[in-house]
Amino acid sequence: MTKRCICQICTCGKHRCPHRPYGIIGKGDQPCAATEYRSEFVPREGGVRESFKPEYALQTNTAPLNDETTHKHDYIKHALDKPRSFKPEEVYVPRGEFDSLTSYNKEYTPKGGERAKLIKHEGQKTISAPFEGDPTYKADYRKWEASRTEPIRHDGGYVAPSDPFKGSSTYTTDYLKHQGAMRQAIRPDQAVLQSQEPFDDRTGYRTDYIRHPQQERFQRPKEEYAPNKSALDSLTTHKKDFTPKEIELTRSMKPNQQGYQSNARFEDSTTNKSDFKRWEVQPIQTHKPDEYRAKTGDMDLNTMYNSEFTPKPLAKVNAIRPVERRAVDAKFDANTTYGGDYRKWPGGRPPAIRAQSGYAPPNMPFEGMSTYKGHYIPHAGGPQRSFKPDGIAYKSAAPFDDATMYRTEYTQKEIEPCPAAFLETPRSNFILHHMDPTGHKFYETQQEAAQSQYQQQQQQQPIAV
């Protein structure tokens, strides 16, 4: 009885243990029928959820507009007074000497010390023994003798014509050139818009305008400059209040650049030196993979494409030529509705529109009622109807024709689910046998487990004398 790993139980190539990350050769493209979605998902009945979108309705109000705002209601006008002038207080300047002694200069005095020495650690010792071991690629991979696949060719039964090629196409034989004269323009003649009369430049401005004499412009007399006779006082508040004072320069607070020196002995004992213990290093143990065992039997190279898509006799497709056009021997009629209905009218310059000088204002007073207020009638208007199409899809009463070529010609095959997908579940036929120290799990079938348990019971029974 042999114990198998998950890599040996898997038949789809998608299940493998972390110690063997590569799938089985030749079984990596097969689909797995058992998935977590099919085993865990339970279908439930449900309908279409109703839409929470509110109905579109325009809210209208027939109450008159109230033009009273919070600004008009709450605003109160206050009298404006002339702003008062503000004079700043006089600057108080203390007198006496400045004490520049700080706690930093008083407590932090320069001290002597030696320069710290470098701490050098011993180099790591390397193992001089050579590496012994074979990688999984060299141990598991084997070269197979592969033969070249013969190409699949389909014979359509095409027979080449025996007549020589004439070199004339249907375009050159059916298309005939016709000679046509140049079409005359239907554009009207521009000579009608010209006039021989002289240009009349008399306008209402030139005839009615009366020139009046201009009055002289009023000019204000310029005031003469009168210089100030009093002497200029050049004494400012800066010269008056800020008098020169004798003070010493501020000493620098910058510490001395000399390093800290000490005559005491440097203590190099660290937690790493006191607590660390050296342990003996052993070489890494390599895991040797299992030997590859080839399966017995011949490989079936027959595919679904070669078995179902067999060559079929085909005939040459006939050329689809357009219908030949017959030439018309009748005379071309160039009369159009535009040429028959259009008439040339005598064109002339329109008369000038001049203002009438005999205007007489009415004697009746203005009533204050305009044509807009008299003729306009207000109508109650509602929201405009939306022309947006509804979201209801087109429905047909005819049954849906789902008979496709895939459904009619495809024959369903039974796909056995991968036994590795049901491991450690009630549906699995394998039971966990043991686990090695490296974490590799090995399984056995329920029949093998029952047989081994029966043999143990037989061995434990006492032998009758």
Side-chain angles (χ1 to χ4, degrees):
M1 294 183 293
T2 58
K3 308 301 183 292
R4 288 179 283 180
C5 178
I6 187 175
C7 302
Q8 300 174 351
I9 298 173
C10 177
T11 58
C12 63
K14 298 180 180 179
H15 304 89
R16 51 184 177 268
C17 60
H19 299 277
R20 294 183 180 180
Y22 304 100
I24 301 174
I25 299 174
K27 295 185 178 181
D29 300 334
Q30 296 183 4
C32 183
T35 60
E36 184 181 0
Y37 183 81
R38 293 183 178 179
S39 59
E40 300 294 339
F41 179 73
V42 180
R44 298 178 176 84
E45 296 180 357
V48 181
R49 187 176 66 177
E50 298 181 359
S51 176
F52 291 94
K53 186 177 180 181
E55 297 180 358
Y56 176 76
L58 182 63
Q59 298 180 0
T60 57
N61 190 6
T62 57
L65 177 64
N66 188 8
D67 58 347
E68 184 178 359
T69 61
T70 55
H71 182 79
K72 292 182 178 181
H73 186 268
D74 300 339
Y75 181 73
I76 302 173
K77 293 183 178 181
H78 300 277
L80 300 176
D81 298 336
K82 188 176 181 181
R84 299 177 182 178
S85 60
F86 174 75
K87 295 182 180 180
E89 298 179 358
E90 296 181 357
V91 180
Y92 172 73
V93 181
R95 298 180 181 180
E97 296 181 357
F98 177 70
D99 186 9
S100 61
L101 183 61
T102 61
S103 60
Y104 184 86
N105 297 338
K106 184 178 180 180
E107 297 180 4
Y108 291 90
T109 56
K111 301 174 180 64
E114 296 180 357
R115 189 174 182 181
K117 297 181 180 180
L118 296 176
I119 302 173
K120 295 184 179 180
H121 300 280
E122 298 179 358
Q124 186 178 3
K125 297 181 180 179
T126 58
I127 301 172
S128 59
F131 174 74
E132 296 180 358
D134 296 332
T136 56
Y137 180 80
K138 292 184 179 180
D140 297 344
Y141 180 72
R142 295 185 180 181
K143 293 184 179 180
W144 300 89
E145 296 179 358
S147 60
R148 187 176 180 180
T149 307
E150 297 180 359
I152 302 172
R153 299 177 181 178
H154 301 280
D155 189 7
Y158 173 73
V159 181
S162 59
D163 297 337
F165 180 64
K166 297 179 180 180
S168 59
S169 61
T170 55
Y171 181 81
T172 55
T173 55
D174 299 344
Y175 180 72
L176 301 176
K177 295 184 179 180
H178 300 278
Q179 296 180 357
M182 188 175 181
R183 186 177 181 183
Q184 297 181 359
I186 313 177
R187 185 173 166 184
D189 191 5
Q190 298 291 339
V192 182
L193 303 178
Q194 298 179 2
S195 177
Q196 303 296 333
E197 297 180 0
F199 180 67
D200 188 7
D201 58 348
R202 291 176 299 173
T203 59
Y205 181 82
R206 292 186 176 184
T207 55
D208 300 340
Y209 180 72
I210 301 173
R211 294 185 178 182
H212 299 279
Q214 294 183 356
Q215 299 179 0
E216 295 182 358
R217 186 177 180 182
F218 174 74
Q219 296 182 359
R220 182 178 298 176
K222 296 182 180 180
E223 297 180 358
E224 296 181 358
Y225 173 71
N228 192 0
K229 296 179 180 181
S230 59
L232 177 64
D233 186 7
S234 61
L235 185 62
T236 61
T237 55
H238 184 80
K239 292 182 179 181
K240 183 179 179 181
D241 298 339
F242 293 91
T243 57
K245 299 173 180 64
E246 296 179 359
I247 58 174
E248 297 179 359
L249 296 176
T250 306
R251 289 181 298 176
S252 176
M253 304 294 178
K254 187 176 181 181
N256 194 0
Q257 296 295 337
Q258 297 180 0
Y260 174 75
Q261 298 179 0
S262 177
N263 297 326
R265 185 178 180 182
F266 181 72
E267 184 180 357
D268 58 349
S269 61
T270 60
T271 55
N272 188 12
K273 290 185 177 181
S274 60
D275 299 341
F276 180 73
K277 297 179 182 180
R278 294 187 178 181
W279 303 87
E280 296 180 359
V281 181
Q282 298 179 0
I284 301 173
Q285 297 180 0
T286 59
H287 175 71
K288 295 182 179 180
D290 298 339
E291 296 181 358
Y292 175 76
R293 298 179 181 178
K295 293 185 177 181
T296 59
D298 299 335
M299 182 178 178
D300 187 9
L301 300 176
N302 191 13
T303 61
M304 184 176 64
Y305 183 85
N306 296 337
S307 59
E308 296 187 3
F309 291 90
T310 57
K312 300 174 178 59
L314 299 176
K316 187 178 180 181
V317 182
N318 298 327
I320 301 175
R321 297 181 179 180
V323 182
E324 298 181 357
R325 298 182 180 179
R326 297 180 180 179
V328 181
D329 298 336
K331 188 178 180 181
F332 178 70
D333 188 5
N335 295 329
T336 59
T337 55
Y338 183 83
D341 299 343
Y342 181 74
R343 298 181 183 179
K344 295 183 179 180
W345 300 90
R349 186 175 183 180
I353 301 174
R354 300 177 180 177
Q356 298 179 3
S357 60
Y359 172 72
N363 298 326
M364 301 296 293
F366 181 64
E367 298 178 357
M369 180 66 68
S370 61
T371 56
Y372 180 80
K373 293 182 179 181
H375 297 171
Y376 180 74
I377 301 173
H379 299 278
Q384 188 178 5
R385 183 176 62 87
S386 176
F387 291 93
K388 182 180 179 181
D390 52 359
I392 303 174
Y394 174 74
K395 296 181 180 179
S396 177
F400 180 68
D401 187 9
D402 57 349
T404 59
M405 185 175 62
Y406 180 82
R407 293 192 175 185
T408 54
E409 298 184 2
Y410 178 73
T411 56
Q412 190 174 3
K413 284 85 175 175
E414 294 183 359
I415 301 176
E416 296 181 358
C418 181
F422 301 107
L423 288 177
E424 299 181 2
T425 58
R427 301 175 58 184
S428 177
N429 191 27
F430 291 88
I431 302 174
L432 179 63
H433 183 266
H434 70 281
M435 181 187 299
D436 59 358
T438 59
H440 212 113
K441 296 181 180 180
F442 292 92
Y443 299 88
E444 63 178 353
T445 60
Q446 295 181 2
Q447 293 79 3
E448 294 176 354
Q451 186 177 359
S452 61
Q453 187 177 4
Y454 177 74
Q455 291 178 1
Q456 292 177 3
Q457 292 178 0
Q458 292 293 334
Q459 293 176 1
Q460 292 177 1
Q461 290 180 2
I463 301 174
V465 180

PDB file of all heavy atoms in Angstrom, residues 168-171 173-174 318-324:
ATOM      1  N   SER A 168      -9.938  40.896 -69.121  1.00  0.00           N
ATOM      2  CA  SER A 168     -11.022  41.898 -69.095  1.00  0.00           C
ATOM      3  C   SER A 168     -11.926  41.604 -67.911  1.00  0.00           C
ATOM      4  O   SER A 168     -12.314  40.467 -67.668  1.00  0.00           O
ATOM      5  CB  SER A 168     -11.829  41.848 -70.392  1.00  0.00           C
ATOM      6  OG  SER A 168     -12.391  40.563 -70.566  1.00  0.00           O
ATOM      7  N   SER A 169     -12.242  42.654 -67.142  1.00  0.00           N
ATOM      8  CA  SER A 169     -13.096  42.511 -65.970  1.00  0.00           C
ATOM      9  C   SER A 169     -14.514  42.958 -66.282  1.00  0.00           C
ATOM     10  O   SER A 169     -14.790  43.535 -67.349  1.00  0.00           O
ATOM     11  CB  SER A 169     -12.522  43.344 -64.808  1.00  0.00           C
ATOM     12  OG  SER A 169     -12.485  44.703 -65.181  1.00  0.00           O
ATOM     13  N   THR A 170     -15.422  42.692 -65.368  1.00  0.00           N
ATOM     14  CA  THR A 170     -16.823  43.108 -65.550  1.00  0.00           C
ATOM     15  C   THR A 170     -16.967  44.625 -65.526  1.00  0.00           C
ATOM     16  O   THR A 170     -17.871  45.178 -66.147  1.00  0.00           O
ATOM     17  CB  THR A 170     -17.681  42.499 -64.442  1.00  0.00           C
ATOM     18  OG1 THR A 170     -17.125  42.876 -63.176  1.00  0.00           O
ATOM     19  CG2 THR A 170     -17.675  40.974 -64.518  1.00  0.00           C
ATOM     20  N   TYR A 171     -16.041  45.302 -64.862  1.00  0.00           N
ATOM     21  CA  TYR A 171     -16.116  46.770 -64.806  1.00  0.00           C
ATOM     22  C   TYR A 171     -15.824  47.383 -66.173  1.00  0.00           C
ATOM     23  O   TYR A 171     -16.496  48.314 -66.611  1.00  0.00           O
ATOM     24  CB  TYR A 171     -15.125  47.290 -63.766  1.00  0.00           C
ATOM     25  CG  TYR A 171     -15.130  48.790 -63.614  1.00  0.00           C
ATOM     26  CD1 TYR A 171     -16.094  49.419 -62.835  1.00  0.00           C
ATOM     27  CD2 TYR A 171     -14.185  49.568 -64.245  1.00  0.00           C
ATOM     28  CE1 TYR A 171     -16.104  50.790 -62.689  1.00  0.00           C
ATOM     29  CE2 TYR A 171     -14.187  50.950 -64.115  1.00  0.00           C
ATOM     30  CZ  TYR A 171     -15.146  51.567 -63.327  1.00  0.00           C
ATOM     31  OH  TYR A 171     -15.155  52.924 -63.190  1.00  0.00           O
ATOM     32  N   THR A 173     -16.085  45.861 -69.151  1.00  0.00           N
ATOM     33  CA  THR A 173     -17.029  45.432 -70.187  1.00  0.00           C
ATOM     34  C   THR A 173     -18.413  46.040 -70.012  1.00  0.00           C
ATOM     35  O   THR A 173     -19.095  46.339 -70.995  1.00  0.00           O
ATOM     36  CB  THR A 173     -17.133  43.905 -70.168  1.00  0.00           C
ATOM     37  OG1 THR A 173     -17.495  43.482 -68.841  1.00  0.00           O
ATOM     38  CG2 THR A 173     -15.806  43.257 -70.534  1.00  0.00           C
ATOM     39  N   ASP A 174     -18.871  46.249 -68.740  1.00  0.00           N
ATOM     40  CA  ASP A 174     -20.225  46.750 -68.513  1.00  0.00           C
ATOM     41  C   ASP A 174     -20.292  48.269 -68.453  1.00  0.00           C
ATOM     42  O   ASP A 174     -21.340  48.858 -68.778  1.00  0.00           O
ATOM     43  CB  ASP A 174     -20.773  46.174 -67.202  1.00  0.00           C
ATOM     44  CG  ASP A 174     -20.848  44.658 -67.256  1.00  0.00           C
ATOM     45  OD1 ASP A 174     -20.777  44.110 -68.371  1.00  0.00           O
ATOM     46  OD2 ASP A 174     -20.970  44.040 -66.180  1.00  0.00           O
ATOM     47  N   ASN A 318     -19.575  30.373 -56.633  1.00  0.00           N
ATOM     48  CA  ASN A 318     -19.767  31.150 -57.867  1.00  0.00           C
ATOM     49  C   ASN A 318     -19.653  32.637 -57.594  1.00  0.00           C
ATOM     50  O   ASN A 318     -20.040  33.130 -56.532  1.00  0.00           O
ATOM     51  CB  ASN A 318     -21.136  30.839 -58.471  1.00  0.00           C
ATOM     52  CG  ASN A 318     -21.248  29.374 -58.864  1.00  0.00           C
ATOM     53  OD1 ASN A 318     -20.252  28.758 -59.255  1.00  0.00           O
ATOM     54  ND2 ASN A 318     -22.444  28.812 -58.765  1.00  0.00           N
ATOM     55  N   ALA A 319     -19.110  33.356 -58.550  1.00  0.00           N
ATOM     56  CA  ALA A 319     -18.955  34.816 -58.410  1.00  0.00           C
ATOM     57  C   ALA A 319     -20.311  35.504 -58.519  1.00  0.00           C
ATOM     58  O   ALA A 319     -21.154  35.134 -59.347  1.00  0.00           O
ATOM     59  CB  ALA A 319     -18.008  35.351 -59.482  1.00  0.00           C
ATOM     60  N   ILE A 320     -20.543  36.484 -57.656  1.00  0.00           N
ATOM     61  CA  ILE A 320     -21.799  37.238 -57.655  1.00  0.00           C
ATOM     62  C   ILE A 320     -21.564  38.530 -58.430  1.00  0.00           C
ATOM     63  O   ILE A 320     -20.826  39.413 -57.979  1.00  0.00           O
ATOM     64  CB  ILE A 320     -22.250  37.536 -56.222  1.00  0.00           C
ATOM     65  CG1 ILE A 320     -22.430  36.229 -55.452  1.00  0.00           C
ATOM     66  CG2 ILE A 320     -23.549  38.342 -56.213  1.00  0.00           C
ATOM     67  CD1 ILE A 320     -22.757  36.435 -53.995  1.00  0.00           C
ATOM     68  N   ARG A 321     -22.154  38.612 -59.613  1.00  0.00           N
ATOM     69  CA  ARG A 321     -21.975  39.791 -60.460  1.00  0.00           C
ATOM     70  C   ARG A 321     -23.216  40.691 -60.373  1.00  0.00           C
ATOM     71  O   ARG A 321     -24.322  40.198 -60.212  1.00  0.00           O
ATOM     72  CB  ARG A 321     -21.739  39.378 -61.906  1.00  0.00           C
ATOM     73  CG  ARG A 321     -20.463  38.561 -62.100  1.00  0.00           C
ATOM     74  CD  ARG A 321     -20.264  38.210 -63.561  1.00  0.00           C
ATOM     75  NE  ARG A 321     -19.037  37.446 -63.763  1.00  0.00           N
ATOM     76  CZ  ARG A 321     -18.620  37.012 -64.943  1.00  0.00           C
ATOM     77  NH1 ARG A 321     -19.357  37.261 -66.042  1.00  0.00           N
ATOM     78  NH2 ARG A 321     -17.494  36.332 -65.029  1.00  0.00           N
ATOM     79  N   PRO A 322     -23.019  42.000 -60.474  1.00  0.00           N
ATOM     80  CA  PRO A 322     -24.195  42.893 -60.436  1.00  0.00           C
ATOM     81  C   PRO A 322     -25.028  42.780 -61.708  1.00  0.00           C
ATOM     82  O   PRO A 322     -24.572  42.267 -62.738  1.00  0.00           O
ATOM     83  CB  PRO A 322     -23.555  44.283 -60.285  1.00  0.00           C
ATOM     84  CG  PRO A 322     -22.198  44.148 -60.868  1.00  0.00           C
ATOM     85  CD  PRO A 322     -21.756  42.751 -60.561  1.00  0.00           C
ATOM     86  N   VAL A 323     -26.255  43.240 -61.596  1.00  0.00           N
ATOM     87  CA  VAL A 323     -27.173  43.190 -62.752  1.00  0.00           C
ATOM     88  C   VAL A 323     -26.714  44.187 -63.816  1.00  0.00           C
ATOM     89  O   VAL A 323     -26.339  45.322 -63.502  1.00  0.00           O
ATOM     90  CB  VAL A 323     -28.613  43.507 -62.292  1.00  0.00           C
ATOM     91  CG1 VAL A 323     -29.573  43.407 -63.468  1.00  0.00           C
ATOM     92  CG2 VAL A 323     -29.014  42.540 -61.182  1.00  0.00           C
ATOM     93  N   GLU A 324     -26.702  43.725 -65.049  1.00  0.00           N
ATOM     94  CA  GLU A 324     -26.270  44.600 -66.131  1.00  0.00           C
ATOM     95  C   GLU A 324     -27.289  45.725 -66.359  1.00  0.00           C
ATOM     96  O   GLU A 324     -28.497  45.511 -66.318  1.00  0.00           O
ATOM     97  CB  GLU A 324     -26.102  43.786 -67.412  1.00  0.00           C
ATOM     98  CG  GLU A 324     -25.034  42.701 -67.324  1.00  0.00           C
ATOM     99  CD  GLU A 324     -24.903  41.944 -68.625  1.00  0.00           C
ATOM    100  OE1 GLU A 324     -25.686  42.238 -69.562  1.00  0.00           O
ATOM    101  OE2 GLU A 324     -24.021  41.061 -68.708  1.00  0.00           O
TER     102      GLU A 324
END
